[in-house]
Amino acid sequence: MSTGSGPLTGRRIVITGAAGGIGLTLARRCVGDGAAVALVDADPRVLELASELGGVGFAVDITDRSTAPSTLAEAAAQLGGVDGLANVAGAQRDGDAVHTTDEVWDLVLAVNLTAPWVWSRAAIPHMLKAGRGSIVNVASIAASHALPSAVSYVTSKTGLLGLTRSIAVDFGRQGIRCNSVSPGTIETDFFRDYARRNPDVARRLEDLNFAGRFGTADEVAACCAYLLGDESGFVNGTDVAIDGGRAAASVVPRDG
Protein backbone atom coordinates (compact mmCIF):
# COMPACT_ATOMS: atom_id res chain seq x y z
CA MET A 1 0.00 0.00 0.00
CA SER A 2 2.01 2.95 -1.29
CA THR A 3 0.57 6.33 -2.19
CA GLY A 4 3.15 7.57 -4.65
CA SER A 5 6.84 7.91 -5.36
CA GLY A 6 9.36 9.76 -3.25
CA PRO A 7 11.98 9.28 -0.56
CA LEU A 8 9.57 7.30 1.63
CA THR A 9 8.12 5.07 -1.10
CA GLY A 10 7.50 1.61 0.29
CA ARG A 11 7.62 2.73 3.92
CA ARG A 12 4.78 1.80 6.28
CA ILE A 13 4.68 4.40 9.06
CA VAL A 14 2.63 4.66 12.25
CA ILE A 15 2.25 8.16 13.72
CA THR A 16 0.86 8.94 17.18
CA GLY A 17 -0.70 12.29 18.01
CA ALA A 18 -1.79 12.47 14.38
CA ALA A 19 -5.11 14.34 14.67
CA GLY A 20 -3.46 17.75 14.55
CA GLY A 21 -0.32 19.82 14.89
CA ILE A 22 3.03 18.26 14.13
CA GLY A 23 1.57 14.74 13.96
CA LEU A 24 -0.94 15.54 11.23
CA THR A 25 1.60 17.65 9.35
CA LEU A 26 4.03 14.74 9.44
CA ALA A 27 1.36 12.32 8.21
CA ARG A 28 0.69 14.56 5.23
CA ARG A 29 4.41 14.88 4.55
CA CYS A 30 4.92 11.11 4.68
CA VAL A 31 2.06 10.48 2.26
CA GLY A 32 3.45 13.12 -0.08
CA ASP A 33 6.82 11.38 0.09
CA GLY A 34 5.28 8.04 -0.91
CA ALA A 35 4.67 6.30 2.42
CA ALA A 36 1.63 4.38 3.59
CA VAL A 37 0.51 5.71 6.96
CA ALA A 38 -1.47 4.76 10.04
CA LEU A 39 -2.69 7.69 12.12
CA VAL A 40 -3.21 7.20 15.87
CA ASP A 41 -4.88 9.62 18.26
CA ALA A 42 -7.42 9.70 21.08
CA ASP A 43 -9.37 12.28 19.07
CA PRO A 44 -11.91 10.41 16.91
CA ARG A 45 -11.35 12.93 14.11
CA VAL A 46 -8.25 10.91 13.33
CA LEU A 47 -10.42 8.35 11.52
CA GLU A 48 -11.70 10.90 9.00
CA LEU A 49 -8.28 12.49 8.61
CA ALA A 50 -6.69 9.12 7.91
CA SER A 51 -9.33 8.36 5.30
CA GLU A 52 -8.68 11.69 3.58
CA LEU A 53 -4.99 10.79 3.36
CA GLY A 54 -5.66 7.29 2.04
CA GLY A 55 -4.30 5.76 5.23
CA VAL A 56 -5.77 3.92 8.17
CA GLY A 57 -6.84 5.49 11.45
CA PHE A 58 -7.03 4.33 15.04
CA ALA A 59 -8.87 6.30 17.71
CA VAL A 60 -7.15 4.93 20.79
CA ASP A 61 -5.64 6.18 24.04
CA ILE A 62 -1.89 5.67 23.66
CA THR A 63 -1.47 5.60 27.46
CA ASP A 64 -3.56 2.42 27.62
CA ARG A 65 -0.77 -0.10 27.25
CA SER A 66 -3.10 -2.74 25.84
CA THR A 67 -3.78 -0.67 22.71
CA ALA A 68 -0.25 -0.67 21.30
CA PRO A 69 0.18 -4.37 20.37
CA SER A 70 -3.29 -4.69 18.83
CA THR A 71 -3.03 -1.38 16.95
CA LEU A 72 0.41 -2.20 15.57
CA ALA A 73 -0.78 -5.66 14.51
CA GLU A 74 -3.80 -4.22 12.71
CA ALA A 75 -1.72 -1.47 11.12
CA ALA A 76 0.77 -4.06 9.87
CA ALA A 77 -2.07 -6.15 8.45
CA GLN A 78 -3.58 -3.21 6.58
CA LEU A 79 -0.34 -1.56 5.45
CA GLY A 80 1.51 -4.76 4.62
CA GLY A 81 3.94 -4.32 7.50
CA VAL A 82 5.36 -1.60 9.74
CA ASP A 83 8.86 -0.20 9.34
CA GLY A 84 8.41 3.32 10.70
CA LEU A 85 7.10 4.77 13.95
CA ALA A 86 6.86 8.43 14.92
CA ASN A 87 6.02 9.05 18.58
CA VAL A 88 4.62 12.57 18.27
CA ALA A 89 1.86 12.70 20.89
CA GLY A 90 2.75 14.89 23.85
CA ALA A 91 1.39 16.55 26.97
CA GLN A 92 2.58 19.56 28.93
CA ARG A 93 1.43 20.83 32.33
CA ASP A 94 2.83 23.61 34.48
CA GLY A 95 4.26 23.01 37.93
CA ASP A 96 7.55 22.85 39.81
CA ALA A 97 8.84 19.95 41.90
CA VAL A 98 6.82 21.05 44.94
CA HIS A 99 3.53 22.03 43.35
CA THR A 100 3.16 19.33 40.70
CA THR A 101 0.52 16.82 41.75
CA ASP A 102 0.82 13.06 41.47
CA GLU A 103 -1.92 13.11 38.84
CA VAL A 104 -0.12 15.65 36.65
CA TRP A 105 3.22 13.85 36.99
CA ASP A 106 1.67 10.50 36.09
CA LEU A 107 -0.22 11.92 33.09
CA VAL A 108 2.71 13.76 31.54
CA LEU A 109 5.15 10.90 31.96
CA ALA A 110 2.55 8.43 30.67
CA VAL A 111 2.10 10.38 27.43
CA ASN A 112 5.63 11.67 26.87
CA LEU A 113 7.82 8.80 28.03
CA THR A 114 6.00 5.58 28.86
CA ALA A 115 3.85 5.60 25.71
CA PRO A 116 6.83 5.99 23.34
CA TRP A 117 8.48 3.03 25.06
CA VAL A 118 5.31 0.91 24.90
CA TRP A 119 4.66 1.76 21.24
CA SER A 120 8.29 1.18 20.32
CA ARG A 121 8.19 -2.15 22.13
CA ALA A 122 5.15 -3.14 20.08
CA ALA A 123 6.59 -1.84 16.80
CA ILE A 124 10.09 -3.30 16.96
CA PRO A 125 9.04 -6.94 16.34
CA HIS A 126 7.28 -5.83 13.14
CA MET A 127 10.41 -3.94 12.09
CA LEU A 128 12.59 -6.95 12.79
CA LYS A 129 10.27 -9.00 10.59
CA ALA A 130 10.56 -6.36 7.85
CA GLY A 131 14.35 -6.35 8.17
CA ARG A 132 14.50 -2.60 8.74
CA GLY A 133 12.94 0.14 10.79
CA SER A 134 13.18 3.73 11.93
CA ILE A 135 11.72 5.23 15.09
CA VAL A 136 11.51 8.98 15.59
CA ASN A 137 10.66 10.42 19.00
CA VAL A 138 9.52 14.02 19.27
CA ALA A 139 11.26 15.37 22.35
CA SER A 140 11.79 19.07 23.12
CA ILE A 141 14.52 21.62 23.55
CA ALA A 142 13.38 21.49 27.19
CA ALA A 143 15.21 18.16 27.44
CA SER A 144 18.53 20.02 27.36
CA HIS A 145 17.44 23.52 28.44
CA ALA A 146 14.94 23.22 31.27
CA LEU A 147 11.86 25.39 31.25
CA PRO A 148 10.81 27.04 34.52
CA SER A 149 7.84 25.49 36.32
CA ALA A 150 7.59 22.47 34.02
CA VAL A 151 9.21 19.68 36.02
CA SER A 152 7.09 16.82 34.67
CA TYR A 153 7.51 17.96 31.06
CA VAL A 154 11.26 18.53 31.35
CA THR A 155 11.77 15.20 33.10
CA SER A 156 9.72 13.25 30.57
CA LYS A 157 11.41 14.76 27.54
CA THR A 158 14.86 14.25 29.05
CA GLY A 159 13.99 10.61 29.63
CA LEU A 160 12.81 10.33 26.04
CA LEU A 161 16.32 11.16 24.84
CA GLY A 162 17.63 8.28 26.95
CA LEU A 163 15.03 5.93 25.52
CA THR A 164 16.07 7.01 22.03
CA ARG A 165 19.74 6.26 22.61
CA SER A 166 19.00 2.94 24.29
CA ILE A 167 16.87 1.66 21.40
CA ALA A 168 19.50 2.83 18.92
CA VAL A 169 22.23 0.89 20.72
CA ASP A 170 20.19 -2.25 21.36
CA PHE A 171 18.70 -2.64 17.87
CA GLY A 172 20.93 -0.70 15.48
CA ARG A 173 22.81 -3.77 14.30
CA GLN A 174 19.50 -5.45 13.54
CA GLY A 175 18.55 -2.76 11.07
CA ILE A 176 16.49 -0.55 13.36
CA ARG A 177 17.44 3.06 13.95
CA CYS A 178 16.04 5.40 16.60
CA ASN A 179 16.48 9.17 16.65
CA SER A 180 14.76 12.14 18.22
CA VAL A 181 14.01 15.72 17.31
CA SER A 182 13.87 18.53 19.86
CA PRO A 183 11.69 21.40 18.68
CA GLY A 184 11.85 24.84 20.22
CA THR A 185 8.71 26.96 20.09
CA ILE A 186 6.63 25.79 17.13
CA GLU A 187 3.68 27.76 15.81
CA THR A 188 0.86 25.24 15.96
CA ASP A 189 -2.84 25.92 16.59
CA PHE A 190 -2.28 24.96 20.22
CA PHE A 191 0.51 27.49 20.60
CA ARG A 192 -1.41 30.22 18.75
CA ASP A 193 -4.25 29.83 21.23
CA TYR A 194 -1.74 30.06 24.07
CA ALA A 195 -0.12 33.15 22.54
CA ARG A 196 -3.45 34.94 22.23
CA ARG A 197 -4.01 34.37 25.94
CA ASN A 198 -0.43 35.23 26.94
CA PRO A 199 0.98 37.74 24.42
CA ASP A 200 3.86 38.87 26.65
CA VAL A 201 5.06 35.32 27.25
CA ALA A 202 4.76 34.50 23.55
CA ARG A 203 6.90 37.53 22.65
CA ARG A 204 9.61 36.43 25.11
CA LEU A 205 9.57 32.91 23.70
CA GLU A 206 10.09 34.26 20.18
CA ASP A 207 13.08 36.22 21.43
CA LEU A 208 14.76 33.13 22.89
CA ASN A 209 16.05 31.98 19.49
CA PHE A 210 18.27 33.53 16.85
CA ALA A 211 15.99 33.06 13.86
CA GLY A 212 13.71 35.90 14.93
CA ARG A 213 10.55 33.86 14.53
CA PHE A 214 8.77 30.73 15.69
CA GLY A 215 9.31 27.42 13.97
CA THR A 216 6.67 25.72 11.85
CA ALA A 217 5.16 22.26 11.99
CA ASP A 218 6.31 21.77 8.39
CA GLU A 219 9.93 22.29 9.42
CA VAL A 220 9.66 19.70 12.19
CA ALA A 221 7.84 17.27 9.88
CA ALA A 222 10.52 17.62 7.21
CA CYS A 223 13.22 16.60 9.68
CA CYS A 224 11.15 13.69 10.98
CA ALA A 225 10.49 12.48 7.45
CA TYR A 226 14.22 12.58 6.69
CA LEU A 227 14.96 10.49 9.78
CA LEU A 228 12.28 7.96 8.84
CA GLY A 229 13.75 7.32 5.40
CA ASP A 230 16.82 5.74 3.85
CA GLU A 231 18.56 9.07 3.25
CA SER A 232 19.40 9.14 6.97
CA GLY A 233 20.59 5.54 7.00
CA PHE A 234 23.75 6.27 9.02
CA VAL A 235 21.99 8.53 11.53
CA ASN A 236 21.25 6.61 14.71
CA GLY A 237 20.88 7.56 18.37
CA THR A 238 20.99 11.27 17.56
CA ASP A 239 18.88 14.21 18.72
CA VAL A 240 18.27 17.04 16.26
CA ALA A 241 17.43 20.46 17.71
CA ILE A 242 14.90 22.40 15.63
CA ASP A 243 14.98 25.59 17.62
CA GLY A 244 16.28 28.47 15.52
CA GLY A 245 19.60 28.42 17.34
CA ARG A 246 18.15 28.71 20.83
CA ALA A 247 20.33 25.94 22.29
CA ALA A 248 23.45 27.25 20.57
CA ALA A 249 23.74 30.26 22.85
CA SER A 250 25.43 30.37 26.23
CA VAL A 251 23.43 33.47 27.15
CA VAL A 252 19.74 34.27 26.90
CA PRO A 253 18.94 36.85 24.21
CA ARG A 254 17.52 40.23 25.15
CA ASP A 255 14.04 40.22 26.60
CA GLY A 256 11.76 41.70 23.87
Side-chain angles (χ1 to χ4, degrees), residues 4 22 46 53 153 169 194 209 221:
I22 293 170
V46 75
L53 289 175
Y153 184 75
V169 168
Y194 173 82
N209 68 63

Side-chain angles (χ1 to χ4, degrees), residues 137 159-169 178-180 236-238:
N137 295 319
L160 188 56
L161 298 189
L163 175 67
T164 298
R165 291 191 293 268
S166 187
I167 292 173
V169 168
C178 187
N179 295 286
S180 60
N236 193 25
T238 292

